[in-house]
Amino acid sequence: MRGMRFRPHCWLAQEWFSPDGIPGIAIPFYLAHQRLISLERRFMREVEGGNRNWLMRILRHEAGHAVDSAYRLRRLKSWREAFGPASLPYPDTYRPRPGSRRFVQHLGAWYAQAHPTEDFAETFAVWLKPHSPWRREYVGWPAYAKLQYIDELVREIGEQKPPIANRSTIEDVTHETSTLREHYEQKLARYRLPRRSGADELLLKVFTTVPRSRATAKAASVLREMRTPLRRQIQRSGAFSEYLVHQVLRLMIVRCEALNLYVRGSRRELKGQLLWVVARLAESYEERKLPRVAL
């Protein structure tokens, strides 16, 4: 792993997580088989990590937590100076600041702002990505110093044997006795309604989960193609900052991938619809209006 001696162990559980003190990664059981993936999408409307790009983003994030546990990094004074004390209470919700450049952007929803441990995991994930352009993308940002810190830290500890080699597993599904029906009844009761952001609601007005044919274009691919002209046209209005528009478009692409959306109707109409979605989201995600995000 990028010159590190450490290798996290993995196991199947009900959801994604890396337990404090255990340098490993729990992976949702539904990713083990296509039929289970279909069940997850049917009941929860999305599959967290259900495509390669999203899967690798989450794995890199969880690898950050595992590295933290393996080397007890949060105990370092330099770590606390860079990210803050890991001992801070973990919140049930957080109110992100989209305009802040003190944090990297990786999983979406400005997740690095949730807690110092998430800030580290998100920053580590950006650094870990193969051929990561972080030196170019984050130059001039306060977050750049955190990326530099991780780059230097890994060089220092990379060849060291991790002091924590705990191979325990938590909530391993091999010990699970409940049925899939019971699992989804409990999961749906926990969430009541599947978690869906305002972005999802707007995107589903423009795109579809059911492609007309095998040749139907994926929404995320089309958004990537149209990102630059959309950004330029919205910026000409002067209503929103360049940074906010950039982050909104990035969020839209991530959610299109997560929901596995496809283009619906003609592309001639699509640009106007997308301009409307970007403007609605930019308005609602301005710092003074941004709602609290549940963890």
Side-chain angles (χ1 to χ4, degrees):
M1 185 166 64
R2 287 291 298 273
M4 300 189 72
R5 188 173 175 179
F6 168 66
R7 296 291 184 275
H9 67 292
C10 300
W11 65 95
L12 293 179
Q14 290 192 18
E15 57 187 345
W16 288 102
F17 64 95
S18 180
D20 281 351
I22 297 177
I25 302 172
I27 299 174
F29 72 90
Y30 53 74
L31 292 176
H33 196 281
Q34 189 59 48
R35 289 176 66 184
L36 293 172
I37 290 175
S38 298
L39 267 179
E40 180 73 10
R41 181 169 285 114
R42 174 185 169 188
F43 286 109
M44 304 310 296
R45 299 187 189 175
E46 69 177 18
V47 179
E48 193 172 14
N51 59 61
R52 189 180 187 282
N53 180 52
W54 199 5
L55 173 68
M56 295 310 300
R57 283 175 179 268
I58 298 174
L59 280 173
R60 293 183 193 112
H61 173 94
E62 299 301 346
H65 287 305
V67 166
D68 177 19
S69 292
Y71 290 92
R72 299 188 178 120
L73 296 179
R74 64 182 65 184
R75 298 186 180 186
L76 298 174
K77 181 182 178 182
S78 57
W79 192 100
R80 295 195 301 272
E81 289 174 345
F83 300 99
S87 58
L88 284 176
Y90 203 92
D92 293 324
T93 63
Y94 66 102
R95 193 185 299 277
R97 291 172 292 142
S100 175
R101 298 196 174 194
R102 293 179 52 238
F103 304 91
V104 299
Q105 301 291 339
H106 180 66
L107 284 181
W110 300 275
Y111 194 42
Q113 300 183 33
H115 190 266
T117 56
E118 302 303 348
D119 188 9
F120 172 79
E122 286 285 83
T123 308
F124 182 87
V126 168
W127 172 87
L128 183 62
K129 182 181 179 180
H131 312 295
S132 175
W134 66 266
R135 294 184 189 277
R136 182 180 72 252
E137 287 190 353
Y138 289 95
V139 65
W141 291 38
Y144 188 86
K146 298 176 185 178
L147 287 157
Q148 279 188 314
Y149 170 73
I150 288 177
D151 194 52
E152 294 166 3
L153 182 64
V154 170
R155 291 179 193 175
E156 180 183 333
I157 67 172
E159 291 302 316
Q160 296 177 19
K161 183 179 180 181
I164 303 299
N166 187 342
R167 306 285 292 184
S168 299
T169 60
I170 305 293
E171 298 180 7
D172 192 325
V173 293
T174 57
H175 308 305
E176 184 60 61
T177 58
S178 63
T179 65
L180 282 170
R181 177 172 182 166
E182 291 169 338
H183 164 75
Y184 281 108
E185 284 177 346
Q186 293 169 7
K187 193 169 184 178
L188 286 169
R190 194 160 65 242
Y191 294 123
R192 292 286 175 156
L193 290 173
R195 290 171 294 176
R196 177 180 285 185
S197 69
D200 294 357
E201 298 289 354
L202 292 174
L203 289 168
L204 284 164
K205 292 180 185 296
V206 176
F207 299 114
T208 180
T209 57
V210 183
R212 288 184 299 176
S213 69
R214 291 185 178 181
T216 303
K218 286 210 163 191
S221 300
V222 172
L223 258 176
R224 287 192 181 94
E225 292 174 13
M226 300 177 68
R227 176 162 47 183
T228 298
L230 284 171
R231 186 172 64 236
R232 287 174 178 167
Q233 186 163 340
I234 292 171
Q235 285 171 205
R236 279 199 294 269
S237 71
F240 307 105
S241 71
E242 179 180 357
Y243 177 81
L244 180 57
V245 173
H246 170 75
Q247 296 303 338
V248 165
L249 284 165
R250 184 171 183 168
L251 169 71
M252 289 169 62
I253 291 169
V254 168
R255 296 310 300 157
C256 282
E257 287 180 333
L259 297 170
N260 200 29
L261 298 182
Y262 293 84
V263 171
R264 169 181 16 194
S266 70
R267 293 205 187 190
R268 183 180 303 173
E269 300 173 347
L270 182 59
K271 186 176 181 181
Q273 294 169 339
L274 289 176
L275 286 169
W276 173 77
V277 172
V278 174
R280 286 283 303 275
L281 288 174
E283 183 178 273
S284 64
Y285 286 163
E286 284 181 314
E287 187 171 351
R288 66 181 182 274
K289 299 179 181 178
L290 199 71
R292 298 189 74 86
V293 178
L295 285 167

